[in-house]
Amino acid sequence: MSDTYSEADLSACLTSLGIRAGDCVFIHASLKGVGKLETSDPDGMLHALLVRLLSAVGDTGTLVTPTFNFGFCEGKTFDRQNTPATGMGAFAEYFRTYPGAIRSKHPFQCVSAIGRQASRIANAVGRSAFSDGGSFDAMLALDCKILFFGVDFVETFVHVSEERAAVPYRFWKTFTSTYVDEGISRQLSVDFFARKLDIVPEPLLDKLKFNRLLRGASVIKGVPLGAGQVSICRAAELVVTLTAILKDEPLGFLLGR
């Protein structure tokens, strides 16, 4: 296994995973997980990676990445166009600022999208980002694929299943702070299906258990690239599978349970 990979290797990987023109692809990326992309792109590795991904879905496709920032929940101002993503990795922040990217309206669990369906996803508003009518619901309606680039599993779409299963370790909580969009400021209140932090032990998701289950059921499939692996699944299949499991065994995927 090499610590580097070429742009041709990347394109072959995406093709092998079944990414096609017209697809909607939600990307979780940890660049260090696959090593260094060897590229002659004068704008660097991040640009080369994004260009290859855009090429894979074509003019009719859409790419999406999480650009969360939880400062709003701490009473900080959220500026839709300018507040950076935090904890999402270098690719997500590069993506957010890329020409043509549109950020969704949610003040902390927001995504950024580029492509044919970007406006549809960015303008979707539900009770939460994961509720009916929200941006993740819009991606599900587009039969979105989830790409785990250099990372085994990230639980973002699990939150859709948690809401649908009405898991008992979460509750609806309202956050209010200042929201800025296109320079216009206002107070905004947003509901969030938050963890009950008074539960002992703290209700934290067992991501390894989710990962083993979904790969064992062939919901998630991967191929090697560089120093690691890139994997893919249909978001709808993941959500349906996990919603059924969480309804039957709502505490079964918490750490220490």
Side-chain angles (χ1 to χ4, degrees):
M1 188 174 288
S2 172
D3 289 336
T4 64
Y5 60 99
S6 68
E7 293 186 57
D9 293 333
L10 174 58
S11 293
C13 169
L14 299 176
T15 299
S16 176
L17 289 170
I19 294 178
R20 301 288 185 266
D23 278 350
C24 174
V25 181
F26 182 78
I27 306 160
H28 281 297
S30 175
L31 303 185
K32 64 182 180 181
V34 290
K36 183 179 179 181
L37 172 59
E38 294 182 327
T39 177
S40 59
D41 189 323
D43 293 316
M45 185 176 73
L46 291 172
H47 183 261
L49 173 59
L50 181 51
V51 167
R52 287 283 173 164
L53 288 164
L54 288 169
S55 177
V57 300
D59 293 340
T60 58
T62 307
L63 298 181
V64 192
T65 194
T67 51
F68 295 2
N69 183 311
F70 286 91
F72 185 92
C73 302
E74 302 168 355
K76 298 177 182 177
T77 296
F78 176 80
D79 187 316
R80 183 183 176 192
Q81 284 76 38
N82 297 306
T83 296
T86 56
M88 301 290 108
F91 179 77
E93 180 61 8
Y94 181 81
F95 188 106
R96 182 188 72 81
T97 61
Y98 194 77
I102 308 173
R103 199 179 204 178
S104 64
K105 294 183 177 181
H106 198 276
F108 48 93
Q109 288 172 319
C110 42
V111 301
S112 292
I114 300 172
R116 179 67 62 87
Q117 301 293 340
S119 293
R120 174 178 174 178
I121 294 166
N123 291 321
V125 177
R127 183 178 184 184
S128 81
F130 306 106
S131 302
D132 290 351
S135 55
F136 285 85
D137 188 48
M139 284 186 273
L140 287 168
L142 293 166
D143 197 21
C144 180
K145 297 174 180 177
I146 308 171
L147 187 71
F148 300 102
F149 191 90
V151 59
D152 285 339
F153 182 73
V154 183
E155 70 274 21
T156 309
F157 270 89
V158 177
H159 301 319
V160 178
S161 294
E162 288 179 313
E163 281 195 23
R164 293 184 177 184
V167 294
Y169 54 85
R170 288 185 177 269
F171 73 108
W172 286 104
K173 182 176 181 178
T174 302
F175 292 94
T176 302
S177 193
T178 304
Y179 181 85
V180 180
D181 190 4
E182 299 290 352
I184 299 174
S185 177
R186 62 187 174 98
Q187 289 296 108
L188 179 68
S189 294
V190 176
D191 288 342
F192 176 43
F193 200 43
R195 287 181 295 122
K196 295 178 179 178
L197 298 181
D198 57 341
I199 295 177
V200 179
E202 184 179 346
L204 297 172
L205 293 176
D206 189 337
K207 292 183 282 187
L208 289 176
K209 190 173 182 180
F210 276 124
N211 185 42
R212 287 195 298 267
L213 170 78
L214 293 167
R215 290 180 186 271
S218 296
V219 175
I220 299 177
K221 301 175 183 180
V223 297
L225 178 69
Q229 187 177 69
V230 179
S231 304
I232 200 164
C233 71
R234 289 182 57 242
E237 187 177 7
L238 181 149
V239 168
V240 168
T241 299
L242 295 185
T243 300
I245 289 171
L246 289 173
K247 283 182 177 180
D248 182 59
E249 193 181 0
L251 303 180
F253 283 81
L254 296 180
L255 285 171
R257 303 299 176 104

Short mmCIF file of all heavy atoms in Angstrom, two decimals, residues 65-70 78-79 82-94 96-97 103 108 110 112:
data_model
loop_
_atom_site.label_atom_id
_atom_site.label_comp_id
_atom_site.label_asym_id
_atom_site.label_seq_id
_atom_site.Cartn_x
_atom_site.Cartn_y
_atom_site.Cartn_z
N THR A 65 -20.85 18.68 1.12
CA THR A 65 -19.97 18.34 2.24
C THR A 65 -20.47 19.06 3.50
O THR A 65 -21.08 20.13 3.41
CB THR A 65 -18.51 18.73 1.93
OG1 THR A 65 -17.64 18.10 2.88
CG2 THR A 65 -18.29 20.22 1.98
N PRO A 66 -20.28 18.47 4.68
CA PRO A 66 -20.70 19.15 5.91
C PRO A 66 -19.81 20.35 6.20
O PRO A 66 -18.59 20.27 6.09
CB PRO A 66 -20.53 18.06 6.98
CG PRO A 66 -19.47 17.16 6.44
CD PRO A 66 -19.65 17.16 4.95
N THR A 67 -20.43 21.45 6.56
CA THR A 67 -19.67 22.65 6.95
C THR A 67 -20.22 23.18 8.28
O THR A 67 -20.54 24.34 8.43
CB THR A 67 -19.73 23.73 5.85
OG1 THR A 67 -21.09 23.96 5.45
CG2 THR A 67 -18.93 23.31 4.63
N PHE A 68 -20.32 22.26 9.25
CA PHE A 68 -20.89 22.56 10.55
C PHE A 68 -20.04 23.58 11.31
O PHE A 68 -18.82 23.67 11.13
CB PHE A 68 -20.99 21.31 11.42
CG PHE A 68 -21.93 20.23 10.92
CD1 PHE A 68 -22.62 20.35 9.74
CD2 PHE A 68 -22.11 19.08 11.67
CE1 PHE A 68 -23.47 19.36 9.29
CE2 PHE A 68 -22.96 18.08 11.25
CZ PHE A 68 -23.63 18.20 10.06
N ASN A 69 -20.71 24.31 12.19
CA ASN A 69 -20.05 25.17 13.17
C ASN A 69 -21.06 25.37 14.30
O ASN A 69 -22.12 25.94 14.10
CB ASN A 69 -19.66 26.52 12.56
CG ASN A 69 -18.91 27.40 13.55
OD1 ASN A 69 -19.32 27.59 14.68
ND2 ASN A 69 -17.78 27.97 13.11
N PHE A 70 -20.71 24.87 15.51
CA PHE A 70 -21.68 24.86 16.61
C PHE A 70 -21.60 26.10 17.49
O PHE A 70 -22.17 26.13 18.59
CB PHE A 70 -21.50 23.60 17.45
CG PHE A 70 -22.02 22.36 16.78
CD1 PHE A 70 -21.20 21.58 15.98
CD2 PHE A 70 -23.36 22.00 16.90
CE1 PHE A 70 -21.69 20.45 15.34
CE2 PHE A 70 -23.86 20.88 16.28
CZ PHE A 70 -23.04 20.09 15.49
N PHE A 78 -23.90 33.47 13.81
CA PHE A 78 -23.61 32.64 12.65
C PHE A 78 -23.85 33.46 11.40
O PHE A 78 -24.95 33.98 11.19
CB PHE A 78 -24.48 31.39 12.62
CG PHE A 78 -24.28 30.56 11.37
CD1 PHE A 78 -23.21 29.70 11.28
CD2 PHE A 78 -25.15 30.68 10.29
CE1 PHE A 78 -23.01 28.94 10.12
CE2 PHE A 78 -24.96 29.92 9.14
CZ PHE A 78 -23.88 29.05 9.06
N ASP A 79 -22.82 33.60 10.58
CA ASP A 79 -22.92 34.29 9.29
C ASP A 79 -22.87 33.22 8.21
O ASP A 79 -21.85 32.56 8.02
CB ASP A 79 -21.76 35.28 9.13
CG ASP A 79 -21.88 36.15 7.90
OD1 ASP A 79 -22.23 35.61 6.82
OD2 ASP A 79 -21.61 37.36 8.00
N ASN A 82 -19.94 33.58 5.82
CA ASN A 82 -18.58 33.84 6.29
C ASN A 82 -18.12 33.00 7.48
O ASN A 82 -16.91 32.88 7.69
CB ASN A 82 -18.43 35.33 6.63
CG ASN A 82 -18.61 36.21 5.41
OD1 ASN A 82 -17.94 36.02 4.40
ND2 ASN A 82 -19.53 37.16 5.50
N THR A 83 -19.01 32.47 8.28
CA THR A 83 -18.59 31.67 9.42
C THR A 83 -17.94 30.38 8.91
O THR A 83 -18.54 29.64 8.14
CB THR A 83 -19.78 31.32 10.32
OG1 THR A 83 -20.32 32.54 10.87
CG2 THR A 83 -19.35 30.42 11.47
N PRO A 84 -16.71 30.11 9.32
CA PRO A 84 -16.01 28.92 8.79
C PRO A 84 -16.58 27.64 9.35
O PRO A 84 -17.21 27.61 10.41
CB PRO A 84 -14.57 29.14 9.26
CG PRO A 84 -14.70 29.96 10.49
CD PRO A 84 -15.87 30.89 10.25
N ALA A 85 -16.36 26.55 8.63
CA ALA A 85 -16.63 25.22 9.17
C ALA A 85 -15.58 24.90 10.22
O ALA A 85 -14.43 25.31 10.10
CB ALA A 85 -16.59 24.19 8.05
N THR A 86 -15.96 24.20 11.28
CA THR A 86 -15.00 23.81 12.31
C THR A 86 -15.09 22.31 12.55
O THR A 86 -16.18 21.75 12.62
CB THR A 86 -15.25 24.56 13.63
OG1 THR A 86 -16.59 24.33 14.07
CG2 THR A 86 -15.03 26.05 13.47
N GLY A 87 -13.92 21.68 12.65
CA GLY A 87 -13.87 20.26 12.93
C GLY A 87 -14.27 19.38 11.77
O GLY A 87 -14.46 18.17 11.93
N MET A 88 -14.39 19.94 10.58
CA MET A 88 -14.84 19.19 9.41
C MET A 88 -13.70 18.81 8.48
O MET A 88 -13.90 18.10 7.50
CB MET A 88 -15.87 20.01 8.61
CG MET A 88 -17.12 20.41 9.40
SD MET A 88 -18.20 19.02 9.77
CE MET A 88 -17.92 18.85 11.53
N GLY A 89 -12.51 19.30 8.75
CA GLY A 89 -11.37 19.00 7.91
C GLY A 89 -11.08 20.07 6.88
O GLY A 89 -11.93 20.92 6.56
N ALA A 90 -9.87 20.02 6.32
CA ALA A 90 -9.42 21.04 5.37
C ALA A 90 -10.24 21.03 4.08
O ALA A 90 -10.53 22.08 3.50
CB ALA A 90 -7.94 20.83 5.04
N PHE A 91 -10.64 19.83 3.63
CA PHE A 91 -11.38 19.76 2.37
C PHE A 91 -12.73 20.45 2.49
O PHE A 91 -13.16 21.17 1.57
CB PHE A 91 -11.58 18.30 1.94
CG PHE A 91 -12.36 18.16 0.67
CD1 PHE A 91 -11.78 18.42 -0.57
CD2 PHE A 91 -13.71 17.79 0.70
CE1 PHE A 91 -12.51 18.31 -1.75
CE2 PHE A 91 -14.44 17.67 -0.47
CZ PHE A 91 -13.85 17.93 -1.70
N ALA A 92 -13.42 20.26 3.60
CA ALA A 92 -14.74 20.86 3.79
C ALA A 92 -14.68 22.39 3.75
O ALA A 92 -15.51 23.05 3.12
CB ALA A 92 -15.36 20.40 5.09
N GLU A 93 -13.69 22.96 4.41
CA GLU A 93 -13.57 24.42 4.41
C GLU A 93 -13.15 24.94 3.04
O GLU A 93 -13.63 26.00 2.58
CB GLU A 93 -12.58 24.87 5.49
CG GLU A 93 -12.38 26.37 5.59
CD GLU A 93 -13.64 27.16 5.93
OE1 GLU A 93 -14.69 26.56 6.24
OE2 GLU A 93 -13.57 28.41 5.86
N TYR A 94 -12.29 24.22 2.34
CA TYR A 94 -11.93 24.60 0.97
C TYR A 94 -13.17 24.56 0.08
O TYR A 94 -13.41 25.48 -0.71
CB TYR A 94 -10.86 23.66 0.43
CG TYR A 94 -10.42 23.99 -0.97
CD1 TYR A 94 -9.49 25.00 -1.22
CD2 TYR A 94 -10.94 23.30 -2.06
CE1 TYR A 94 -9.10 25.32 -2.51
CE2 TYR A 94 -10.55 23.61 -3.36
CZ TYR A 94 -9.63 24.62 -3.58
OH TYR A 94 -9.25 24.94 -4.87
N ARG A 96 -16.30 24.86 0.99
CA ARG A 96 -17.25 25.92 1.37
C ARG A 96 -16.94 27.22 0.64
O ARG A 96 -17.87 27.97 0.26
CB ARG A 96 -17.21 26.15 2.88
CG ARG A 96 -18.21 27.22 3.37
CD ARG A 96 -18.00 27.54 4.84
NE ARG A 96 -16.79 28.31 5.09
CZ ARG A 96 -16.68 29.63 4.93
NH1 ARG A 96 -17.71 30.34 4.50
NH2 ARG A 96 -15.53 30.25 5.19
N THR A 97 -15.67 27.52 0.46
CA THR A 97 -15.26 28.80 -0.13
C THR A 97 -15.03 28.71 -1.64
O THR A 97 -14.66 29.71 -2.26
CB THR A 97 -13.96 29.30 0.54
OG1 THR A 97 -12.91 28.35 0.32
CG2 THR A 97 -14.17 29.50 2.03
N ARG A 103 -24.08 27.46 0.65
CA ARG A 103 -24.23 26.89 1.99
C ARG A 103 -25.69 26.84 2.39
O ARG A 103 -26.46 27.77 2.09
CB ARG A 103 -23.46 27.73 3.00
CG ARG A 103 -23.15 27.01 4.32
CD ARG A 103 -22.37 27.90 5.24
NE ARG A 103 -21.60 27.16 6.22
CZ ARG A 103 -20.80 27.72 7.10
NH1 ARG A 103 -20.66 29.04 7.11
NH2 ARG A 103 -20.13 26.99 7.97
N PHE A 108 -26.11 25.78 12.32
CA PHE A 108 -24.96 25.04 12.86
C PHE A 108 -24.75 23.70 12.16
O PHE A 108 -23.62 23.32 11.89
CB PHE A 108 -25.01 24.88 14.39
CG PHE A 108 -26.31 24.41 14.98
CD1 PHE A 108 -26.54 23.07 15.21
CD2 PHE A 108 -27.27 25.33 15.35
CE1 PHE A 108 -27.73 22.64 15.79
CE2 PHE A 108 -28.46 24.93 15.95
CZ PHE A 108 -28.70 23.57 16.16
N CYS A 110 -25.03 22.87 9.02
CA CYS A 110 -25.17 23.29 7.64
C CYS A 110 -24.26 22.48 6.73
O CYS A 110 -23.26 21.92 7.17
CB CYS A 110 -24.87 24.78 7.49
SG CYS A 110 -23.44 25.31 8.45
N SER A 112 -22.56 22.51 2.53
CA SER A 112 -22.32 23.31 1.33
C SER A 112 -22.43 22.39 0.13
O SER A 112 -22.03 21.22 0.18
CB SER A 112 -20.95 23.98 1.37
OG SER A 112 -20.91 24.97 2.39
#
